[in-house]
């Protein structure tokens, strides 16, 4: 009784606040240190601008930066959604038919090992210099975690539960959709977290190669003019976009936990 | 004359058997490294009878049960339920496992309704029955709770209701209470005993608890260590309904002692 009161007191109030502030404090300290060192040594701005200079660059180029969010974010999101849908369909198909799995899965795993970035120029060659090549490449790069993780998840259902379904004369399709698929959902969510990050990378790489728009393109333009502060500002915007997508999936993951009854 | 009578006797006992494992043998991984799980099993359960399969771990009790459920095919011999050979799972047979195997995202009532969904029966028709069953096992306050919010004993109660909802004639139970603590286990034995009083199914119950087997059963079959064969077939004479005061009686303990001796004699 007493113990539970103590531990509750310890969990709430001051220390918790401190712990959640800890990363912010660290970040602030590093920024201040960075600001100070660059100012003190009078380091060239074109190589390492001060944090305050980056903030200023964001302010000065606000319209430029914001207008370039959409081309990058929409293609990344589109690629991610297509990858999720196609990856999901493929893994369900492979879970349903052993024949398909035997034929397909070793090839997918083999392909997964190939460094995928190396394919980027080929996508430009095949799909042109417009957004289609970047979309295609984003799908290509982000689909593998979905397939591999989902396949593992669908295989991971408690065998006794499969037996129960069998004993109830469930069809293969019923077992797949009513039991195996829901059990694999946590795998899907964690794969989606990986996949959205990869889709972003895919789009940026695509923009580096050909694009006339997007935050990746902006980085290259700023690079050409040695506007390092604008480069870093663009990177920051990319981080914000990535974080935004990630937090949506994290929220889905939280809802899933509730659905599974793990959280109240 | 005498021969004729015994043949007749055999014939009637055969037709008596609702569940019949006839000379069943099961070999896993046939080949040089094969495992002979059970061998020459002959086991009969009459309609409405509750029989326990008692034996040490790994003696093939569960394998036998899975063959009766139609989930495993015997290497030799055959299994008949209700006179028809078991070739694949059938909806007149219900199954319970050591683990409750509930779906974590479904509430108690939805878990009980799960077989109805699989069997594509009319949902409305069974919803009341599901509530009734859950009430019967003392879970009327927990209809909408998910498995994570229930105790181990409660989860097994839900699993019993799930096995009963679609009204199978035979209930096969594979050590359903062996993962529970001793007190909850006794409680569950009583719950099952009471349910049996109302539902009158044919039951086959796998356990390694002698006390549980004797308390619940009309008959106890003792299996030997692998390869499993049936080495004892004992009627349990106590009238039903039984309650837990029975386990304190000398007669009860005498039977338990006798069965213990049969099991120990193999080592």
């Amino acid at each position: 009784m007493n113990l539970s009161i103590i531990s509750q007191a310890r969990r709430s109030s001051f220390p918790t606040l401190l712990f959640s502030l800890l990363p912010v404090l660290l970040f602030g300290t590093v920024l201040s240190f960075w600001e100070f060192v660059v100012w003190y040594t009078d380091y060239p701005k074109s190589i390492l601008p001060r944090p305050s200079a980056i903030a200023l660059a964001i302010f000065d180029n606000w319209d430029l930066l914001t207008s370039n969010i959409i081309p990058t974010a929409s293609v990344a999101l589109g690629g991610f959604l297509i990858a999720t849908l196609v990856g999901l369909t493929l893994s369900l198909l492979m879970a349903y038919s052993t024949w398909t799995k035997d034929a397909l899965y070793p090839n997918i795993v083999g392909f997964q090992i190939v460094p995928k970035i190396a394919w980027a120029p080929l996508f430009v060659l095949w799909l042109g210099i417009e957004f289609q090549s970047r979309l295609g490449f984003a799908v290509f790069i982000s689909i593998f975690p979905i397939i591999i993780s989902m396949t593992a998840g669908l295989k991971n259902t408690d065998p006794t539960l499969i037996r129960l379904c069998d004993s109830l004369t469930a069809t293969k399709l019923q077992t797949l959709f009513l039991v195996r698929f829901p059990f694999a959902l946590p795998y899907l969510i964690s794969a989606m977290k990986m996949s959205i990050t990869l889709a972003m990378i895919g789009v940026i790489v695509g923009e580096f190669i050909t694009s006339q728009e997007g935050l990746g393109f902006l980085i290259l333009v700023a690079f050409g003019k040695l506007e390092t502060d604008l480069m870093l500002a663009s990177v920051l915007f990319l981080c914000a976009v990535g974080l935004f997508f990630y937090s949506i999936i994290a929220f889905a993951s939280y809802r899933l936990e509730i659905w599974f009854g793990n959280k109240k | 004359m005498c021969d004729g009578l015994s043949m007749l006797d055999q014939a009637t006992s055969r037709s008596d058997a609702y569940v019949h494992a006839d000379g069943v043998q099961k070999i896993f991984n046939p080949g040089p490294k094969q495992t002979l799980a059970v061998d020459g099993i002959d086991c009969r359960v009459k309609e409405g009878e509750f029989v326990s399969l008692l034996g040490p771990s790994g003696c093939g009790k569960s394998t036998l049960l899975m063959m009766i459920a139609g989930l495993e095919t015997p290497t030799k011999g055959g299994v008949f339920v209700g006179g028809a050979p078991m070739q694949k799972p059938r909806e007149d047979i219900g199954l319970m496992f050591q683990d409750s195997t509930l779906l974590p995202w479904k509430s108690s009532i939805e878990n009980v309704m799960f077989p109805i969904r699989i069997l594509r029966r009319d949902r409305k028709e069974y919803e009341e029955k599901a509530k009734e069953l859950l009430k019967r096992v003392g879970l009327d306050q927990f209809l909408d709770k998910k498995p994570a919010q229930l105790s181990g004993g409660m989860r097994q109660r839900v699993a019993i209701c799930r096995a009963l909802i679609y009204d199978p004639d035979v209930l096969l139970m594979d050590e359903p209470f062996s993962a529970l603590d001793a007190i909850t286990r006794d409680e569950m034995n009583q719950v099952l005993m009471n349910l049996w009083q109302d539902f009158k199914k044919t039951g086959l119950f796998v356990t390694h608890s002698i006390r549980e087997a004797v308390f619940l059963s009309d008959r106890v079959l003792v299996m030997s260590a692998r390869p499993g064969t049936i080495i004892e077939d004992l009627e349990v004479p106590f009238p039903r309904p039984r309650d837990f005061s029975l386990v304190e009686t000398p007669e009860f303990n005498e039977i338990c002692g006798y069965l213990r001796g049969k099991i120990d004699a193999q080592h």
Side-chain angles (χ1 to χ4, degrees):
Chain A
M1 180 74 189
N2 270 333
L3 268 174
S4 77
I5 290 172
I6 291 169
S7 69
Q8 241 173 15
R10 196 175 287 160
R11 229 176 285 136
S12 61
S13 75
F14 180 68
T16 324
L17 194 69
L18 183 70
F19 283 132
S20 57
L21 276 178
L22 224 45
V24 181
L25 282 173
L26 178 68
F27 189 68
T29 312
V30 170
L31 277 191
S32 320
F33 183 72
W34 174 359
E35 180 85 32
F36 173 76
V37 169
V38 173
W39 168 79
Y40 189 77
T41 60
D42 206 13
Y43 210 70
K45 186 183 175 236
S46 55
I47 295 176
L48 189 66
R50 286 189 268 161
S52 58
I54 300 169
L56 204 66
I58 292 176
F59 185 77
D60 287 343
N61 299 289
W62 183 256
D63 289 343
L64 182 68
L65 283 161
T66 47
S67 64
N68 278 296
I69 289 178
I70 297 295
T72 306
S74 59
V75 177
L77 184 65
F80 161 76
L81 289 177
I82 294 171
T84 305
L85 221 66
V86 175
L88 195 59
T89 313
L90 278 177
S91 23
L92 283 170
L93 196 70
M94 287 193 290
Y96 183 72
S97 140
T98 332
W99 196 79
T100 317
K101 186 175 177 175
D102 286 347
L104 210 56
Y105 198 61
N107 284 306
I108 290 173
V109 173
F111 232 79
Q112 147 81 0
I113 299 162
V114 178
K116 283 172 285 296
I117 300 282
W119 289 72
L122 286 159
F123 275 79
V124 177
L125 207 60
W126 293 331
L127 296 172
I129 57 167
E130 294 301 314
F131 78 94
Q132 289 92 333
S133 64
R134 298 194 289 280
L135 185 71
F137 187 61
V139 173
F140 170 70
I141 202 171
S142 64
I143 198 170
F144 289 96
I146 303 276
I147 299 177
I148 286 168
S149 181
M150 217 29 210
T151 302
L154 287 168
K155 210 168 64 183
N156 200 43
T157 321
D158 176 9
T160 322
L161 206 51
I162 306 268
R163 292 216 126 171
L164 176 85
C165 292
D166 289 345
S167 83
L168 290 168
T169 66
T171 62
K172 234 171 141 183
L173 218 56
Q174 279 181 322
T175 309
L176 182 60
F177 280 105
L178 295 179
V179 175
R180 292 174 68 189
F181 178 65
F183 261 113
L185 279 177
Y187 287 79
L188 178 66
I189 295 278
S190 61
M192 282 164 83
K193 286 180 183 166
M194 230 183 298
S195 181
I196 186 68
T197 316
L198 286 172
M200 289 284 290
I201 292 175
V203 174
I204 294 161
V205 168
E207 285 175 355
F208 279 178
I209 296 174
T210 58
S211 183
Q212 299 297 312
E213 56 182 0
L215 289 167
F217 165 70
L218 202 57
I219 289 175
L220 275 197
V221 171
F223 176 66
K225 298 193 282 187
L226 266 184
E227 286 177 20
T228 315
D229 47 358
L230 183 58
M231 279 176 81
L232 282 161
S234 309
V235 170
L236 267 180
F237 267 62
L238 278 172
C239 289
V241 172
L243 210 63
F244 173 70
F245 287 145
Y246 191 88
S247 52
I248 292 174
I249 301 167
F251 180 69
S253 158
Y254 171 76
R255 296 296 309 180
L256 192 72
E257 287 270 305
I258 293 176
W259 189 61
F260 267 85
N262 296 340
K263 282 200 181 85
K264 265 200 116 174
Chain B
M1 179 70 188
C2 197
D3 261 339
L5 249 182
S6 80
M7 263 177 72
L8 191 74
D9 203 41
Q10 212 179 6
T12 41
S13 79
R14 246 173 223 276
S15 64
D16 257 10
Y18 194 74
V19 176
H20 184 194
D22 186 13
V24 162
Q25 183 195 59
K26 179 71 184 176
I27 294 172
F28 285 113
N29 309 316
K33 283 183 179 171
Q34 67 183 30
T35 322
L36 182 58
V38 296
D39 197 13
I41 296 258
D42 215 59
C43 148
R44 294 190 173 97
V45 184
K46 280 184 284 204
E47 190 163 7
E49 194 181 25
F50 193 110
V51 173
S52 282
L53 275 170
L54 182 64
S57 302
C59 75
K61 317 181 284 276
S62 298
T63 307
L64 177 60
L65 205 70
M66 291 307 128
M67 285 191 284
I68 294 171
L71 291 166
E72 299 272 2
T73 328
T75 314
K76 255 193 223 164
V79 175
F80 302 87
V81 175
M86 285 301 295
Q87 271 137 356
K88 54 180 199 284
R90 288 185 349 213
E91 53 181 278
D92 57 340
I93 293 171
L95 207 51
M96 259 188 94
F97 302 95
Q98 180 175 340
D99 189 82
S100 60
T101 59
L102 301 178
L103 301 175
W105 58 89
K106 285 185 181 286
S107 64
S108 306
I109 183 106
E110 287 171 324
N111 265 297
V112 174
M113 290 295 285
F114 181 66
I116 300 307
R117 180 144 186 213
I118 294 283
L119 296 167
R120 294 198 176 90
R121 294 194 195 168
D122 182 29
R123 205 185 150 82
K124 281 205 184 98
E125 208 177 302
Y126 285 90
E127 227 154 35
E128 275 310 304
K129 191 182 171 188
K131 278 183 198 157
E132 197 58 42
L133 276 167
L134 283 166
K135 195 175 173 181
R136 189 78 181 63
V137 297
L139 289 180
D140 34 348
Q141 301 297 313
F142 297 89
L143 297 183
D144 298 319
K145 293 275 184 288
K146 288 177 181 173
Q149 293 156 289
L150 304 175
S151 69
M154 287 171 165
R155 287 202 281 265
Q156 271 315 8
R157 286 169 202 235
V158 176
I160 295 182
C161 296
R162 183 182 58 188
L164 290 171
I165 183 83
Y166 59 105
D167 208 27
D169 300 318
V170 180
L171 198 56
L172 304 174
M173 292 156 278
D174 190 4
E175 303 190 25
F177 308 138
S178 64
L180 303 175
D181 64 84
I183 294 170
T184 314
R185 189 171 190 160
D186 288 351
E187 227 173 82
M188 292 306 294
N189 282 334
Q190 193 66 64
V191 166
L192 185 61
M193 170 64 65
N194 296 344
L195 278 175
W196 215 256
Q197 215 49 43
D198 297 354
F199 288 92
K200 296 274 183 238
K201 307 271 174 211
T202 305
L204 200 54
F205 188 93
V206 164
T207 180
H208 50 236
S209 157
I210 298 173
R211 208 171 75 131
E212 189 174 68
V214 175
F215 177 70
L216 289 171
S217 313
D218 300 310
R219 207 146 53 82
V220 178
L221 304 176
V222 180
M223 276 178 83
S224 66
R226 185 174 286 165
T229 48
I230 290 169
I231 51 166
E232 176 68 39
D233 182 341
L234 187 79
E235 293 266 351
V236 181
F238 309 114
R240 289 169 182 274
R242 301 170 186 167
D243 67 52
F244 245 88
S245 59
L246 177 69
V247 302
E248 310 296 336
T249 63
E251 293 84 357
F252 184 91
N253 287 300
E254 195 186 330
I255 291 182
C256 290
Y258 173 78
L259 289 171
R260 153 100 27 230
K262 282 286 168 191
I263 293 170
D264 287 347
Q266 299 173 65
H267 298 305

